[in-house]
Short mmCIF file of all heavy atoms in Angstrom, two decimals:
data_model
loop_
_atom_site.label_atom_id
_atom_site.label_comp_id
_atom_site.label_asym_id
_atom_site.label_seq_id
_atom_site.Cartn_x
_atom_site.Cartn_y
_atom_site.Cartn_z
N LEU A 1546 128.45 31.11 256.11
CA LEU A 1546 129.38 32.21 256.34
C LEU A 1546 130.75 31.65 256.71
O LEU A 1546 130.84 30.68 257.47
CB LEU A 1546 128.87 33.12 257.47
CG LEU A 1546 127.51 33.76 257.23
CD1 LEU A 1546 127.12 34.63 258.42
CD2 LEU A 1546 127.50 34.57 255.94
N ALA A 1547 131.79 32.24 256.15
CA ALA A 1547 133.13 31.68 256.34
C ALA A 1547 134.17 32.79 256.37
O ALA A 1547 133.91 33.93 255.97
CB ALA A 1547 133.45 30.69 255.21
N ASP A 1548 135.36 32.45 256.85
CA ASP A 1548 136.50 33.37 256.82
C ASP A 1548 137.14 33.29 255.44
O ASP A 1548 138.24 32.76 255.27
CB ASP A 1548 137.51 33.00 257.91
CG ASP A 1548 136.95 33.21 259.30
OD1 ASP A 1548 136.15 34.14 259.47
OD2 ASP A 1548 137.28 32.43 260.21
N ALA A 1549 136.42 33.78 254.45
CA ALA A 1549 136.86 33.71 253.05
C ALA A 1549 136.91 35.12 252.48
O ALA A 1549 135.98 35.90 252.69
CB ALA A 1549 135.91 32.84 252.24
N PRO A 1550 137.96 35.48 251.74
CA PRO A 1550 138.04 36.81 251.15
C PRO A 1550 137.13 36.93 249.93
O PRO A 1550 137.03 36.01 249.12
CB PRO A 1550 139.51 36.94 250.76
CG PRO A 1550 139.95 35.53 250.52
CD PRO A 1550 139.17 34.67 251.47
N HIS A 1551 136.48 38.07 249.80
CA HIS A 1551 135.56 38.26 248.68
C HIS A 1551 136.27 38.39 247.35
O HIS A 1551 135.64 38.27 246.29
CB HIS A 1551 134.71 39.52 248.92
CG HIS A 1551 135.48 40.80 248.80
ND1 HIS A 1551 136.27 41.30 249.83
CD2 HIS A 1551 135.60 41.69 247.77
CE1 HIS A 1551 136.83 42.43 249.45
NE2 HIS A 1551 136.45 42.70 248.21
N THR A 1552 137.59 38.61 247.38
CA THR A 1552 138.36 38.83 246.15
C THR A 1552 138.83 37.53 245.50
O THR A 1552 139.44 37.57 244.44
CB THR A 1552 139.59 39.68 246.47
OG1 THR A 1552 140.32 39.04 247.54
CG2 THR A 1552 139.19 41.08 246.90
N ARG A 1553 138.58 36.41 246.13
CA ARG A 1553 139.01 35.13 245.59
C ARG A 1553 137.79 34.32 245.13
O ARG A 1553 136.67 34.62 245.52
CB ARG A 1553 139.80 34.33 246.64
CG ARG A 1553 141.08 35.03 247.12
CD ARG A 1553 142.07 35.18 246.00
NE ARG A 1553 143.34 35.76 246.44
CZ ARG A 1553 143.65 37.05 246.37
NH1 ARG A 1553 142.76 37.91 245.87
NH2 ARG A 1553 144.82 37.49 246.79
N PRO A 1554 138.00 33.29 244.31
CA PRO A 1554 136.87 32.45 243.91
C PRO A 1554 136.14 31.88 245.13
O PRO A 1554 136.77 31.53 246.13
CB PRO A 1554 137.53 31.33 243.09
CG PRO A 1554 138.79 31.96 242.58
CD PRO A 1554 139.27 32.88 243.66
N VAL A 1555 134.83 31.83 245.05
CA VAL A 1555 134.04 31.31 246.16
C VAL A 1555 134.25 29.80 246.26
O VAL A 1555 133.97 29.07 245.30
CB VAL A 1555 132.55 31.61 245.95
CG1 VAL A 1555 131.71 30.93 247.04
CG2 VAL A 1555 132.31 33.12 245.97
N PRO A 1556 134.75 29.31 247.40
CA PRO A 1556 134.95 27.87 247.54
C PRO A 1556 133.60 27.15 247.59
O PRO A 1556 132.66 27.60 248.24
CB PRO A 1556 135.68 27.73 248.88
CG PRO A 1556 136.19 29.09 249.21
CD PRO A 1556 135.23 30.05 248.58
N VAL A 1557 133.50 26.03 246.90
CA VAL A 1557 132.32 25.17 246.95
C VAL A 1557 132.78 23.77 247.35
O VAL A 1557 133.62 23.18 246.68
CB VAL A 1557 131.59 25.12 245.60
CG1 VAL A 1557 130.42 24.13 245.67
CG2 VAL A 1557 131.08 26.51 245.22
N SER A 1558 132.24 23.29 248.44
CA SER A 1558 132.58 21.96 248.91
C SER A 1558 131.30 21.20 249.16
O SER A 1558 130.20 21.71 248.92
CB SER A 1558 133.42 22.06 250.19
OG SER A 1558 133.90 20.78 250.57
N GLY A 1559 131.42 19.98 249.63
CA GLY A 1559 130.22 19.20 249.90
C GLY A 1559 130.50 17.73 250.01
O GLY A 1559 131.60 17.31 250.36
N MET A 1560 129.48 16.95 249.69
CA MET A 1560 129.61 15.50 249.76
C MET A 1560 128.66 14.86 248.77
O MET A 1560 127.69 15.48 248.33
CB MET A 1560 129.32 15.00 251.18
CG MET A 1560 127.93 15.34 251.69
SD MET A 1560 127.70 14.89 253.43
CE MET A 1560 127.99 13.12 253.34
N ALA A 1561 128.97 13.63 248.40
CA ALA A 1561 128.14 12.90 247.45
C ALA A 1561 127.99 11.46 247.91
O ALA A 1561 128.89 10.89 248.53
CB ALA A 1561 128.75 12.95 246.05
N SER A 1562 126.86 10.91 247.61
CA SER A 1562 126.58 9.50 247.90
C SER A 1562 126.05 8.86 246.61
O SER A 1562 124.99 9.27 246.12
CB SER A 1562 125.54 9.36 249.01
OG SER A 1562 125.96 10.05 250.17
N PRO A 1563 126.80 7.91 246.04
CA PRO A 1563 128.04 7.33 246.56
C PRO A 1563 129.23 8.28 246.40
O PRO A 1563 129.18 9.17 245.54
CB PRO A 1563 128.22 6.09 245.67
CG PRO A 1563 127.55 6.46 244.38
CD PRO A 1563 126.38 7.31 244.76
N PRO A 1564 130.29 8.09 247.20
CA PRO A 1564 131.45 8.99 247.14
C PRO A 1564 132.09 9.05 245.76
O PRO A 1564 132.67 10.08 245.39
CB PRO A 1564 132.40 8.39 248.18
CG PRO A 1564 131.52 7.64 249.13
CD PRO A 1564 130.41 7.10 248.29
N GLU A 1565 131.99 7.95 245.00
CA GLU A 1565 132.60 7.93 243.68
C GLU A 1565 131.99 9.00 242.76
O GLU A 1565 132.65 9.51 241.86
CB GLU A 1565 132.44 6.56 243.03
CG GLU A 1565 133.09 5.42 243.79
CD GLU A 1565 132.25 4.95 244.98
OE1 GLU A 1565 131.00 5.05 244.90
OE2 GLU A 1565 132.83 4.51 245.99
N LEU A 1566 130.73 9.33 243.01
CA LEU A 1566 130.06 10.35 242.20
C LEU A 1566 130.74 11.70 242.39
O LEU A 1566 131.01 12.41 241.42
CB LEU A 1566 128.58 10.43 242.59
CG LEU A 1566 127.76 11.54 241.94
CD1 LEU A 1566 127.73 11.37 240.42
CD2 LEU A 1566 126.33 11.54 242.50
N GLY A 1567 131.02 12.05 243.64
CA GLY A 1567 131.70 13.31 243.90
C GLY A 1567 133.12 13.31 243.37
O GLY A 1567 133.58 14.31 242.80
N ALA A 1568 133.82 12.19 243.55
CA ALA A 1568 135.20 12.11 243.08
C ALA A 1568 135.26 12.24 241.56
O ALA A 1568 136.19 12.87 241.02
CB ALA A 1568 135.81 10.79 243.52
N ARG A 1569 134.28 11.70 240.89
CA ARG A 1569 134.26 11.76 239.42
C ARG A 1569 134.15 13.19 238.92
O ARG A 1569 134.66 13.52 237.85
CB ARG A 1569 133.10 10.91 238.90
CG ARG A 1569 133.10 10.71 237.40
CD ARG A 1569 132.23 9.53 236.98
NE ARG A 1569 130.83 9.72 237.28
CZ ARG A 1569 130.15 8.99 238.15
NH1 ARG A 1569 130.74 8.02 238.84
NH2 ARG A 1569 128.86 9.22 238.36
N HIS A 1570 133.51 14.03 239.72
CA HIS A 1570 133.32 15.43 239.31
C HIS A 1570 134.23 16.38 240.09
O HIS A 1570 134.01 17.59 240.09
CB HIS A 1570 131.86 15.84 239.51
CG HIS A 1570 130.91 15.15 238.58
ND1 HIS A 1570 130.80 15.49 237.24
CD2 HIS A 1570 130.05 14.12 238.77
CE1 HIS A 1570 129.90 14.71 236.67
NE2 HIS A 1570 129.42 13.88 237.56
N GLY A 1571 135.23 15.85 240.78
CA GLY A 1571 136.20 16.69 241.46
C GLY A 1571 135.64 17.44 242.66
O GLY A 1571 136.13 18.53 242.99
N LEU A 1572 134.65 16.88 243.32
CA LEU A 1572 134.05 17.53 244.49
C LEU A 1572 134.93 17.28 245.71
O LEU A 1572 135.22 16.13 246.05
CB LEU A 1572 132.64 16.99 244.75
CG LEU A 1572 131.91 17.55 245.97
CD1 LEU A 1572 131.68 19.04 245.82
CD2 LEU A 1572 130.59 16.82 246.18
N ASP A 1573 135.34 18.37 246.38
CA ASP A 1573 136.13 18.24 247.59
C ASP A 1573 135.22 17.77 248.72
O ASP A 1573 134.28 18.49 249.10
CB ASP A 1573 136.76 19.58 247.98
CG ASP A 1573 137.77 20.04 246.95
OD1 ASP A 1573 138.50 19.18 246.43
OD2 ASP A 1573 137.82 21.25 246.67
N PRO A 1574 135.46 16.58 249.28
CA PRO A 1574 134.56 16.06 250.31
C PRO A 1574 134.72 16.81 251.63
O PRO A 1574 135.82 17.16 252.03
CB PRO A 1574 134.99 14.59 250.44
CG PRO A 1574 136.43 14.59 250.03
CD PRO A 1574 136.55 15.64 248.96
N SER A 1575 133.60 17.05 252.28
CA SER A 1575 133.62 17.71 253.59
C SER A 1575 133.83 16.67 254.69
O SER A 1575 133.40 15.52 254.58
CB SER A 1575 132.30 18.44 253.82
OG SER A 1575 132.24 18.93 255.15
N THR A 1576 134.51 17.08 255.76
CA THR A 1576 134.70 16.21 256.92
C THR A 1576 133.97 16.77 258.12
O THR A 1576 134.26 16.42 259.26
CB THR A 1576 136.20 16.06 257.25
OG1 THR A 1576 136.76 17.37 257.49
CG2 THR A 1576 136.95 15.40 256.09
N TYR A 1577 133.01 17.66 257.87
CA TYR A 1577 132.30 18.32 258.96
C TYR A 1577 131.48 17.34 259.79
O TYR A 1577 130.83 16.44 259.27
CB TYR A 1577 131.37 19.40 258.38
CG TYR A 1577 130.42 19.97 259.40
CD1 TYR A 1577 130.86 20.89 260.34
CD2 TYR A 1577 129.08 19.57 259.42
CE1 TYR A 1577 129.99 21.41 261.28
CE2 TYR A 1577 128.21 20.10 260.35
CZ TYR A 1577 128.67 21.01 261.29
OH TYR A 1577 127.80 21.52 262.22
N SER A 1578 131.51 17.53 261.10
CA SER A 1578 130.63 16.83 262.03
C SER A 1578 130.06 17.86 263.00
O SER A 1578 130.82 18.66 263.56
CB SER A 1578 131.39 15.75 262.81
OG SER A 1578 131.87 14.74 261.97
N GLY A 1579 128.76 17.87 263.18
CA GLY A 1579 128.15 18.83 264.08
C GLY A 1579 126.69 19.05 263.73
O GLY A 1579 126.09 18.26 262.99
N PRO A 1580 126.09 20.13 264.24
CA PRO A 1580 124.67 20.41 263.97
C PRO A 1580 124.40 20.53 262.48
O PRO A 1580 125.25 20.96 261.71
CB PRO A 1580 124.43 21.74 264.69
CG PRO A 1580 125.51 21.83 265.71
CD PRO A 1580 126.69 21.14 265.14
N THR A 1581 123.20 20.14 262.08
CA THR A 1581 122.85 20.19 260.67
C THR A 1581 121.50 20.85 260.49
O THR A 1581 120.71 20.98 261.43
CB THR A 1581 122.84 18.78 260.05
OG1 THR A 1581 122.68 18.89 258.62
CG2 THR A 1581 121.70 17.94 260.60
N GLY A 1582 121.24 21.28 259.27
CA GLY A 1582 119.94 21.81 258.91
C GLY A 1582 119.18 20.80 258.08
O GLY A 1582 119.55 19.63 257.98
N ILE A 1583 118.12 21.27 257.44
CA ILE A 1583 117.28 20.35 256.67
C ILE A 1583 118.05 19.76 255.49
O ILE A 1583 117.75 18.64 255.05
CB ILE A 1583 115.99 21.06 256.20
CG1 ILE A 1583 114.95 20.05 255.73
CG2 ILE A 1583 116.31 22.10 255.12
CD1 ILE A 1583 114.46 19.11 256.81
N VAL A 1584 119.06 20.46 254.98
CA VAL A 1584 119.87 19.91 253.88
C VAL A 1584 120.51 18.59 254.29
O VAL A 1584 120.47 17.60 253.55
CB VAL A 1584 120.93 20.93 253.43
CG1 VAL A 1584 121.95 20.26 252.50
CG2 VAL A 1584 120.28 22.11 252.72
N GLY A 1585 121.11 18.56 255.48
CA GLY A 1585 121.73 17.33 255.95
C GLY A 1585 120.74 16.22 256.18
O GLY A 1585 121.01 15.04 255.88
N VAL A 1586 119.55 16.55 256.68
CA VAL A 1586 118.53 15.54 256.95
C VAL A 1586 118.00 14.96 255.64
O VAL A 1586 117.84 13.74 255.50
CB VAL A 1586 117.38 16.14 257.78
CG1 VAL A 1586 116.26 15.13 257.97
CG2 VAL A 1586 117.90 16.62 259.14
N VAL A 1587 117.73 15.83 254.66
CA VAL A 1587 117.26 15.34 253.36
C VAL A 1587 118.33 14.48 252.69
O VAL A 1587 118.03 13.43 252.10
CB VAL A 1587 116.85 16.52 252.46
CG1 VAL A 1587 116.52 16.04 251.05
CG2 VAL A 1587 115.65 17.25 253.05
N HIS A 1588 119.59 14.91 252.79
CA HIS A 1588 120.68 14.14 252.20
C HIS A 1588 120.70 12.72 252.77
O HIS A 1588 120.76 11.74 252.02
CB HIS A 1588 122.02 14.83 252.47
CG HIS A 1588 123.18 14.20 251.77
ND1 HIS A 1588 123.94 14.86 250.84
CD2 HIS A 1588 123.72 12.95 251.87
CE1 HIS A 1588 124.89 14.05 250.38
NE2 HIS A 1588 124.77 12.88 251.00
N GLU A 1589 120.62 12.62 254.08
CA GLU A 1589 120.67 11.30 254.72
C GLU A 1589 119.50 10.43 254.31
O GLU A 1589 119.66 9.24 254.01
CB GLU A 1589 120.71 11.48 256.24
CG GLU A 1589 120.91 10.18 257.02
CD GLU A 1589 119.62 9.44 257.30
OE1 GLU A 1589 118.54 10.09 257.30
OE2 GLU A 1589 119.67 8.21 257.52
N ARG A 1590 118.29 11.01 254.25
CA ARG A 1590 117.09 10.22 253.94
C ARG A 1590 117.11 9.74 252.49
O ARG A 1590 116.78 8.59 252.21
CB ARG A 1590 115.85 11.06 254.22
CG ARG A 1590 114.52 10.32 253.97
CD ARG A 1590 114.34 9.13 254.89
NE ARG A 1590 114.26 9.55 256.27
CZ ARG A 1590 113.11 9.82 256.90
NH1 ARG A 1590 111.95 9.73 256.26
NH2 ARG A 1590 113.12 10.15 258.17
N PHE A 1591 117.49 10.61 251.56
CA PHE A 1591 117.52 10.21 250.15
C PHE A 1591 118.62 9.18 249.90
O PHE A 1591 118.43 8.23 249.13
CB PHE A 1591 117.71 11.43 249.25
CG PHE A 1591 116.43 12.13 248.90
CD1 PHE A 1591 115.64 12.71 249.87
CD2 PHE A 1591 116.01 12.21 247.58
CE1 PHE A 1591 114.46 13.36 249.56
CE2 PHE A 1591 114.83 12.86 247.24
CZ PHE A 1591 114.05 13.44 248.24
N ASP A 1592 119.76 9.36 250.54
CA ASP A 1592 120.85 8.40 250.40
C ASP A 1592 120.41 7.03 250.90
O ASP A 1592 120.64 6.01 250.24
CB ASP A 1592 122.07 8.89 251.19
CG ASP A 1592 123.25 7.93 251.13
OD1 ASP A 1592 123.35 7.17 250.15
OD2 ASP A 1592 124.06 7.92 252.07
N ALA A 1593 119.74 6.99 252.05
CA ALA A 1593 119.27 5.72 252.61
C ALA A 1593 118.25 5.06 251.69
O ALA A 1593 118.11 3.83 251.70
CB ALA A 1593 118.68 5.95 254.00
N ALA A 1594 117.54 5.87 250.91
CA ALA A 1594 116.53 5.33 249.99
C ALA A 1594 117.14 4.86 248.68
O ALA A 1594 116.41 4.39 247.79
CB ALA A 1594 115.47 6.39 249.72
N GLY A 1595 118.46 5.00 248.52
CA GLY A 1595 119.12 4.52 247.32
C GLY A 1595 119.14 5.49 246.17
O GLY A 1595 119.41 5.09 245.02
N ILE A 1596 118.86 6.76 246.43
CA ILE A 1596 118.90 7.79 245.39
C ILE A 1596 120.25 8.50 245.46
O ILE A 1596 120.72 8.87 246.54
CB ILE A 1596 117.76 8.81 245.58
CG1 ILE A 1596 116.41 8.11 245.40
CG2 ILE A 1596 117.89 9.97 244.61
CD1 ILE A 1596 115.21 9.00 245.70
N GLU A 1597 120.90 8.67 244.32
CA GLU A 1597 122.16 9.41 244.31
C GLU A 1597 121.95 10.80 244.90
O GLU A 1597 121.00 11.50 244.52
CB GLU A 1597 122.70 9.53 242.88
CG GLU A 1597 123.17 8.22 242.29
CD GLU A 1597 123.78 8.39 240.91
OE1 GLU A 1597 123.58 9.47 240.31
OE2 GLU A 1597 124.45 7.47 240.44
#
Side-chain angles (χ1 to χ4, degrees):
L1546 300 180
D1548 294 326
H1551 70 280
T1552 54
R1553 299 296 184 265
V1555 174
V1557 176
S1558 187
M1560 59 186 300
S1562 304
E1565 299 79 31
L1566 174 61
R1569 189 161 65 245
H1570 292 285
L1572 178 63
D1573 295 322
S1575 172
T1576 58
Y1577 170 77
S1578 296
T1581 189
I1583 195 63
V1584 168
V1586 175
V1587 173
H1588 187 118
E1589 186 274 337
R1590 182 63 64 92
F1591 274 62
D1592 179 26
I1596 295 175
E1597 291 184 346

